[in-house]
Amino acid sequence: MHPHLLRIIDNALDEDIASGDLTTEACVPETAVAVAHAIARKDMIICGGEVFAAVFARIDARMQTDVHIAEAARARAGAKIWTVRGSARSILMGERTALNLVQRMCGISTIARRYVDALPPGSKTRITDTRKTTPGLRALERYAVRMGGAHNHRDNLGSAVLIKDNHIVAAGGIANAISRARARAPHTSKIECEVTSLEELDQALAAGADIVMLDNMPTDLVKSAVERTNKRAFIEASGGITLERIAELAHAGVDAISIGALTHSAPAADIGLDFEA
Amino acid sequence: MHPHLLRIIDNALDEDIASGDLTTEACVPETAVAVAHAIARKDMIICGGEVFAAVFARIDARMQTDVHIAEAARARAGAKIWTVRGSARSILMGERTALNLVQRMCGISTIARRYVDALPPGSKTRITDTRKTTPGLRALERYAVRMGGAHNHRDNLGSAVLIKDNHIVAAGGIANAISRARARAPHTSKIECEVTSLEELDQALAAGADIVMLDNMPTDLVKSAVERTNKRAFIEASGGITLERIAELAHAGVDAISIGALTHSAPAADIGLDFEA
Amino acid sequence: MHPHLLRIIDNALDEDIASGDLTTEACVPETAVAVAHAIARKDMIICGGEVFAAVFARIDARMQTDVHIAEAARARAGAKIWTVRGSARSILMGERTALNLVQRMCGISTIARRYVDALPPGSKTRITDTRKTTPGLRALERYAVRMGGAHNHRDNLGSAVLIKDNHIVAAGGIANAISRARARAPHTSKIECEVTSLEELDQALAAGADIVMLDNMPTDLVKSAVERTNKRAFIEASGGITLERIAELAHAGVDAISIGALTHSAPAADIGLDFEA
Amino acid sequence: MHPHLLRIIDNALDEDIASGDLTTEACVPETAVAVAHAIARKDMIICGGEVFAAVFARIDARMQTDVHIAEAARARAGAKIWTVRGSARSILMGERTALNLVQRMCGISTIARRYVDALPPGSKTRITDTRKTTPGLRALERYAVRMGGAHNHRDNLGSAVLIKDNHIVAAGGIANAISRARARAPHTSKIECEVTSLEELDQALAAGADIVMLDNMPTDLVKSAVERTNKRAFIEASGGITLERIAELAHAGVDAISIGALTHSAPAADIGLDFEA
Amino acid sequence: MHPHLLRIIDNALDEDIASGDLTTEACVPETAVAVAHAIARKDMIICGGEVFAAVFARIDARMQTDVHIAEAARARAGAKIWTVRGSARSILMGERTALNLVQRMCGISTIARRYVDALPPGSKTRITDTRKTTPGLRALERYAVRMGGAHNHRDNLGSAVLIKDNHIVAAGGIANAISRARARAPHTSKIECEVTSLEELDQALAAGADIVMLDNMPTDLVKSAVERTNKRAFIEASGGITLERIAELAHAGVDAISIGALTHSAPAADIGLDFEA
Amino acid sequence: MHPHLLRIIDNALDEDIASGDLTTEACVPETAVAVAHAIARKDMIICGGEVFAAVFARIDARMQTDVHIAEAARARAGAKIWTVRGSARSILMGERTALNLVQRMCGISTIARRYVDALPPGSKTRITDTRKTTPGLRALERYAVRMGGAHNHRDNLGSAVLIKDNHIVAAGGIANAISRARARAPHTSKIECEVTSLEELDQALAAGADIVMLDNMPTDLVKSAVERTNKRAFIEASGGITLERIAELAHAGVDAISIGALTHSAPAADIGLDFEA
């Protein structure tokens, strides 16, 4: 597992057990062994098996984890997802940290899948996340988005260009902003420009934007924008997106719909850890 | 500001701008200055002013932040919360990280306040969080819970004892578990024991539990438990808590109601950053 | 082993061998193997076997460590405590770091045991540490205190309330201080209040302190305080504690005696590492 | 202040106030200011003023610290050493961490001075520390040793050569060990060789050791060794050193006496923090 | 300055002065002040002023640095680049670390400028770096490349797609590789494909590669590739690039030339730090 | 492997794959396995086998690495140096980081060997590095210097004394500087003094310098200095050293020649990673 992810896990463990576990150390013999199953309490899309296993392995290298439901697969309420075996103490000490991580991950993959499922059958429109991720957990959350069948937007401010209103004002217009960004950005990064009207769209297209982001546009306007763009750029709809609008936006012909709520407001998936009697 | 919080902020900045900001560096002159206001897009309880200011200050020590709405106060939709002034580049580079942090914090304080407001007037019952916090952000989230008017539960596995079913099984019963925990825990930590029936409650009280946690009990059973306890222990209700049940549980006489959803599923508060023209 | 402890060990190794070991790399062939025994040069209480093993394992994952004397057990002068086997270079490179750690740990457990042994037979009074621990090593030192048979006081400023003179002055009296702390602290944390006279004791008890700390009181005054408290609170004696006073304080009826010297002034236990010829 | 020291301080603060200070936040108003004096409760050699100030400054950049007694100076019992002014909360939150650090530092400088004072007047023998320092605090402790008037031994395994018995065995004799070390070590590092008899001393001198360490030798043997060496090498006495033997070892003519107890067993200096009424 | 860069600087300082500076502390009075000028010993392109200043500021917050030659400007041999003023000790302690950093940065910007200057006048071809940067210093080195007038390639493996021979084999051909990458990558990242022949070029173009990398092709073949591509993709030449070939490759019509040597083999620029008498 | 080196590797991996590898994850099946050989494209001195293996092992603990050419041995162009086997994804993800590290290491060992080979046969003069190393990689680079057959100079500012012009001025002359340094430095560290003329040399020798550094002296002057020193000190030549001058400086009788270019300007060794078909 990548050192970056281990650092996230170690950080999380530090918060919870840097001073040990008063209860477990008092009540559970050091030699006790146990088997515990992570159970989906509701339907969900599974994600985070490696993270789940790694939490216990960081506490105790001898812990074993079995996977019953694969990454990205759907679990029905009551399904057994993973099984961890080994020291009872280690299971109890890692339980909360492991669940906090995978509940967030599965919460995100589940909501992402819901948006993906709202697309019309055969649609080529992609659902994407945004940079509205939990500080410190971006890599995990972007992974969860993918497991839900959605796509990632740019990773960070250094990996692609996204010109917003303030950049446009500062640069003195869309054309200037795009040409400066083109001159500055790696040739491997696309240039995306946010537009709020058809006039701005025209300017962005004329300036050679690779991607235009239609910001908070009603569906009718989106349709006109798609027509006007006429394949000259990749079209992303963003802002004011609800589950209900996914199909109509896809029908309108946008290439992608980006949704902050995928990560910033996903409720935790309900997963319990049941010990074998 | 405490080094621990600065580390959280630095971590978050690292995710987003370790390789710089392609767009801003291309479009915004190094010497441009700007003023931007954090605006509540909906009603919310404010929390995180110091964090908001610190994000910009870590990027650029000369940034200035003004506070318009105090911590724990209610902001109406449209209200100006904070104002940041200084380098336009630094504002744009810190914007997403600052918002990701305070939207989560305000989201939690807002939902916490909603639960607190659901208590009957004059109630002494306290609403508390749990350890179901976002990995890496526990200190910030516990603070947000308090700003919402709710209380914190134990900080981590080393700060108090909470005996759950697996501990009871491993220790050979409630009495054993409590006496072992009493012998092991610092005298400054209380001993809490989870119970699922009146029989278990009796055992926990007999063993001298400081706190009993009524796990997933219907309100009628809670009432019986409160009566039976008769002030011999602090009573916490937990599991299956909804906003609707808060009042009836408070009337039933519990001392505290703990709610994982305060932190694990709080939707981000909607805050925007508006630049002054 | 918990990531927090590994970080302590890595930190310690960094100080000593970040630039390698000039002597060992020059004199000892890379393939040489050795067996070395940690020997107690004096009587002591053993503590730190896992740490001892982990130091060598961090340098070289193939190192093996055997335990001859269990944690918390007494070793006589000359006794073999642990044996490490493997690369001679790795043993020599880790020797000082390992010894520095376990000598401190055994030093603390040994002095803690001495205080515990000074209690009258059958006494229920507990000996506790304080927060006067070595910066960076608190988790290890609190563990060592427990291995010595003593108890831990609160872990840190966030895990329990301890109201001291300055808090009392700032809050406007003991009653105010206690009620504010009660309102603020998690219900899982006890409220302790330091008192220096019987008048203050009365105020603390009236305000419902869970624990009263008798600060620097002569034994006679302690006796009066115990009587006056009459089981209404847990009583901790602190300040000016010497080995000689332990028995009389226990007889006076205090519940706990807290001693900073357990950690801040424990001399290192004398442990040597002897190589097998 | 050097980043390395700030990291030590941040680490220490993390242990104590990562989750805040329940008591102080409850009892002390956010706007309260205070002035507190660090007072020597006993005679001691002062050391750590910068560290003391930095602890408070890391919590709150506006804190002010005045120095009344200079580094390395002697403070009489009752003397005011430093004064910190600013937020009362910040003083209370930093108090224990600051004291834990400076009590250890002053403890070491005080005991170091005691050994230095035991040297005959005008003696050129130097008292030195060893690598038996507290893991994680070596830089601070070596500084404290110097403030006590003693000297530092090599910093770590990479900064100088010290050939001990196991190296000699592995290398096949003293001559081999020294010549290999000479070939491997930077020309800026001296070669020190531990000897336990006059025979070994002869071998070390013949092989060109820069420094010979007389290990655990009685004073008579030390005298013979000094004579025999006849200025051909720097002579360090080590092992079994007590305060009582310092003068006789100095008279015997050794150049340095190294003492692990300077750092591994120095009792904390008794320093209190008194708030101005 | 961004926390990520401060971490690089702190890391570098840790290597050099974690145990202080024996010489400076011995020879230079604590109160001595000095003024020192960074002087270009040869012609070079300047880069790193902020880093230079930050090294000294991390050691001592009161240090002042003046900039005489702007970032990206050319300095003639003998020119004064920056001036640092303040504690003489702090200047001496930071000197080597500061120079090590800026000599590398200026070395890179200087060599980058040399390649850029080798382009025919008015050429639109861009010179770019690669991921062959010094481990740990990528952000600094990419910045230096830009100061030299060259461009950056993708930041890391997560910011854009670059399909190489092994990916093609694993995916079962260029078409498969590109379509899989298109499906997986964020829509903000371009898809680049390495080709070694015109056949592969045709496949990559047919599959819709945004960028084709002509790997190690002689200039004649490059010309054919440019013609054949006919603006359907951005063309990057890579491998076997020398200063001599820049003009001919530009004339051949490639859009970019990527050169590992910009970062992996740039000799340090010769900069000295001269103290004012 | 030492934790310090693992931290360097983790840092490097963080730069490159913290957000994963878009291309590899898209194109290469998770279960694919591969075998890849590190091939010397030119003649070089090998160094970094452990680092090479550790990069892959940090990503994936199951990776296996075989060593074909030992550390410090010469590889001919085309030679197979190491082979890594295991997950194809892990090889592709670690490839660039591993190569960036070992190319630098082999680059340094190769250039170091070139200087060593320029010494006259049988010469006792040693070639040494300086502190002009890449920030963050000093430990690796000093190791590479040794593998090239050269020697290390002092590790850092805390491991030995090197008095330069500014120290001399600040201390009021060479004699003062040396005696202060002698008084301050550990007895295990040598005192080196930079001299630029025979007068300064005389002063340094008179003051008892252990090492004199002849700074930027022409060979004739070096010869005079060697004669004048007459074995009273170790002699190091530094400044303006080229490969061509090595032999004449050795013949002149200096003990060491220190060369910054060994580390600050070593071009990366050309190593490729070839996958088995």
Side-chain angles (χ1 to χ4, degrees), chain D residues 168 173-175 178 198-209:
Chain D
I168 295 170
I174 284 178
I178 290 179
L198 297 183
E199 293 68 41
E200 287 181 5
L201 174 64
D202 287 345
Q203 295 171 38
L205 292 172

Side-chain angles (χ1 to χ4, degrees), chain B residues 238-263:
Chain B
S238 189
I241 309 294
T242 57
L243 204 50
E244 293 65 36
R245 289 189 65 206
I246 296 297
E248 70 184 45
L249 285 167
H251 283 304
V254 301
D255 297 297
I257 306 169
S258 60
I259 306 165
L262 248 49
T263 50

Side-chain angles (χ1 to χ4, degrees), chain C residues 45-96:
Chain C
I45 301 301
I46 294 310
C47 163
E50 269 199 300
V51 167
F52 181 84
V55 168
F56 297 105
R58 290 305 271 185
I59 298 176
D60 179 346
R62 293 157 306 178
M63 304 302 289
Q64 298 287 336
T65 301
D66 302 326
V67 172
H68 306 296
I69 302 189
E71 297 293 289
R74 186 181 301 274
R76 295 295 167 195
K80 192 189 295 185
I81 314 172
W82 308 294
T83 297
V84 57
R85 321 163 178 279
S87 148
R89 281 192 175 185
S90 299
I91 297 179
L92 286 163
M93 291 174 81
E95 173 180 7
R96 185 73 267 139

Side-chain angles (χ1 to χ4, degrees), chain A residues 1-7 50 58 139 142 146 152 155-156, chain F residues 7 10-11 13-14 17-19 22 25 58-61 93:
Chain A
M1 175 168 272
H2 188 274
H4 179 70
L5 302 189
L6 295 180
R7 205 141 37 210
E50 269 199 300
R58 291 304 272 184
R142 279 163 54 90
R146 296 197 303 273
N152 296 137
D155 185 24
N156 57 47
Chain F
R7 208 145 31 214
D10 285 359
N11 243 1
L13 287 172
D14 242 27
I17 58 167
S19 338
L22 293 177
E25 288 164 28
R58 290 305 272 185
I59 297 176
D60 179 345
M93 292 173 79

Side-chain angles (χ1 to χ4, degrees), chain C residues 135-136 138, chain D residues 7-17 97 101:
Chain C
R138 185 169 289 172
Chain D
R7 208 145 32 214
I8 290 176
I9 291 172
D10 285 0
N11 242 2
L13 287 172
D14 242 28
E15 279 188 341
D16 210 31
I17 58 167
T97 298
L101 284 162

